[in-house]
Amino acid sequence: MSDFYDALEVRDPAEREADLFAALPRQLVHAQTAAPAFAEILAGIDVAAIGRREALARLPVTRKSELLERQKQHRASDPFGGFSATVRGPSMLRVFASPGTIYEPEGASRDYWRTARALYAAGFRSGDLLHNSFSYHMTPAGSILESGAHALGCTVFPGGTGQTEQQLEAMVELKPAGYVGTPSFLRILLEKAAAANVALPSLTKALLSGEAFPPSLRDWLAERGIDGKQCYATADLGLIAYETSAREGLVLDEGVLLEIVRPGTGDPVPDGEVGEVVVTTFNRDYPLVRFGTGDLSAVLPGACPTGRTNTRIRGWLGRADQTTKVRGMFVHPGQVASVIKRFPAVLRARLVVEGEMADDRMTLHVETADDATLEPRVAEAMRDATKLRCDIVRVAPGSLPNDGKVIEDARSYK
């Protein structure tokens, strides 16, 4: 098993699915009873009976914006808005703040954010010295990777952000085996080293996150002897997925249950279609259920060539919140989705907003077979939902882009 962090990574997919859904009812009951927010969100639902994806998909999605609003409403009594099942003391080591402001707890469990798996896939091993340039100030990014490194048996230099010259000096003198942080800051460090004619021969691997990691930058790092891989993690959920040596998408972490849903809804899309990433974790301290990340991605077919058998996703493909203001009215992806649900003949739809400011035009492009009666009925439903006039254009099935966009703002702002 030296190529894998543990045996969970090579389970039969059917066994993994059975294990996840055997554990899910217990986690849902825990969320419903230990986290006041989910006691309200899941009120009246027999969560102990939810043992299949179809049943899970009927539960409400809780998005980050809703978490923030609940936190704001309950600031005086509970800064976590009822989502945390832990209280201050030995079971809560730290509290972090992310922009919003959203407060996140860190529990006391080993590898709380489960990032050791991603570090292992990136080539880190026990005994390595790891240079961590994620922020340690207020936000949890530095601790997210540090906790995984400690679980793996690595030593960590807490570089944090900024102070480029001092960080470079530490790299020269301490000779870390690898780097974790944003790809852009690693490039800055390497360019500074080159300008100073300083070599960093010990630095051979990197786990990168927090921003886009394009193939061009990956190749640039490889030319300098650094094997860079990326991971997808959030302060709320911990590790979601990680890159392997195959470099074919990101493999899901073993501790999450992921769905891809149509933006603005909680409806799962077929594998391969771009939609919003929705995650349920098995974290007992912070038991998030169907948490909408607001990020777009899609499931890739087949298994990872490395032998890992978990589902793969394409990685970060943009943001799912496409709310757009048209003639002074907000139009939401959920409104479009609610209309489309009423017409089974419509396979997919895309609302395009065109024109110049103060001269907005909405056109709903719908994938459907020929049906002359469909257009006026859909137009009326759109007007009911949005209070705005909308033209309807029928297009051939499969012709709309698979990019997760429900609303495209194509207006000119010049």
Side-chain angles (χ1 to χ4, degrees):
M1 297 304 298
S2 60
D3 290 338
F4 308 105
Y5 182 67
D6 58 26
L8 296 177
E9 294 181 1
V10 292
R11 282 180 290 178
D12 181 274
E15 178 187 354
R16 177 181 293 106
E17 188 81 350
D19 289 346
L20 287 172
F21 279 91
L24 180 64
R26 295 192 297 272
Q27 179 69 359
L28 295 179
V29 169
H30 174 67
Q32 197 177 48
T33 56
F38 281 111
E40 182 179 335
I41 293 168
L42 303 175
I45 300 174
D46 181 12
V47 294
I50 294 175
R52 297 181 302 118
R53 286 187 179 269
E54 296 80 4
L56 176 64
R58 291 194 287 269
L59 298 183
V61 172
T62 298
R63 293 185 165 83
K64 191 181 286 282
S65 59
E66 298 169 64
L67 184 149
L68 174 59
E69 286 307 309
R70 283 178 179 267
Q71 285 199 359
K72 286 181 175 178
Q73 291 170 12
H74 298 280
R75 281 283 194 253
S77 59
D78 180 0
F80 303 110
F83 287 96
S84 177
T86 62
V87 297
R88 297 175 189 177
S91 60
M92 186 183 293
L93 298 184
R94 299 180 184 89
V95 175
F96 295 99
S98 292
T101 300
I102 295 177
Y103 293 107
E104 293 112 354
E106 179 188 4
S109 60
R110 177 180 177 272
D111 194 12
Y112 177 76
W113 283 282
R114 308 178 315 283
T115 53
R117 188 179 304 282
L119 287 161
Y120 193 92
F124 290 90
R125 296 294 183 269
S126 179
D128 283 345
L129 173 61
L130 180 155
H131 187 104
N132 186 356
S133 283
F134 278 119
S135 175
Y136 279 83
H137 177 62
M138 296 184 71
T139 61
S143 291
I144 287 175
L145 270 297
E146 182 176 277
S147 64
H150 287 164
L152 196 57
C154 296
T155 300
V156 177
F157 177 79
T161 57
Q163 298 178 299
T164 309
E165 290 78 9
Q166 291 93 326
Q167 294 213 41
L168 183 56
E169 180 183 4
M171 283 183 162
V172 171
E173 296 180 349
L174 292 175
K175 299 178 177 57
Y179 164 97
V180 298
T182 62
S184 61
F185 190 64
L186 177 57
R187 179 164 190 154
I188 289 170
L189 287 168
L190 294 174
E191 288 175 339
K192 285 269 188 183
N197 198 27
V198 171
L200 297 170
S202 70
L203 200 65
T204 60
K205 52 203 171 192
L207 181 61
L208 307 160
S209 193
E211 59 190 27
F213 181 43
S216 58
L217 182 50
R218 179 196 66 201
D219 295 342
W220 187 89
L221 293 176
E223 290 168 2
R224 288 150 182 82
I226 299 173
D227 179 15
K229 296 186 179 69
Q230 59 186 313
C231 71
Y232 172 30
T234 73
D236 320 278
L237 300 162
L239 181 67
I240 298 173
Y242 60 97
E243 192 172 24
T244 71
S245 58
R247 300 192 186 282
E248 295 184 11
L250 305 181
V251 177
L252 292 188
D253 177 52
E254 298 295 325
V256 301
L257 204 167
L258 176 138
E259 304 166 272
I260 305 289
V261 307
R262 188 156 287 109
T265 77
D267 303 331
V269 300
D271 285 356
E273 185 172 328
V274 176
E276 182 183 5
V277 175
V278 169
V279 175
T280 299
T281 70
F282 294 84
N283 184 336
R284 302 289 286 182
D285 299 317
Y286 203 43
L288 297 178
V289 177
R290 297 203 86 201
F291 187 74
T293 63
D295 296 326
L296 294 174
S297 193
V299 169
L300 286 171
C304 180
T306 63
R308 293 173 175 85
T309 58
N310 208 341
T311 301
R312 295 176 300 152
I313 59 175
R314 286 175 58 186
W316 187 82
L317 299 177
R319 294 294 292 168
D321 185 6
Q322 300 152 27
T323 299
T324 305
K325 204 169 191 178
V326 182
R327 293 185 178 273
M329 302 282 287
F330 282 108
V331 179
H332 305 272
Q335 292 173 307
V336 178
S338 68
V339 168
I340 299 311
K341 276 186 176 181
R342 295 165 55 182
F343 300 92
V346 176
L347 305 177
R348 284 201 303 166
R350 185 187 190 97
L351 181 66
V352 179
V353 183
E354 298 172 289
E356 298 182 0
M357 297 305 290
D359 185 26
D360 303 327
R361 301 186 304 277
M362 295 199 316
T363 304
L364 185 68
H365 300 255
V366 296
E367 287 186 3
T368 185
D370 288 340
D371 182 350
T373 69
L374 186 68
E375 292 169 52
R377 292 186 290 129
V378 175
E380 182 180 359
M382 281 295 294
R383 189 178 185 89
D384 289 343
T386 66
K387 312 306 179 191
L388 295 164
R389 182 182 180 279
C390 181
D391 295 325
I392 310 299
V393 173
R394 285 179 284 128
V395 299
S399 62
L400 292 177
N402 180 23
D403 57 8
K405 282 190 177 180
V406 176
I407 301 176
E408 177 187 353
D409 191 345
R411 288 173 290 193
S412 170
Y413 292 92
K414 294 180 181 179

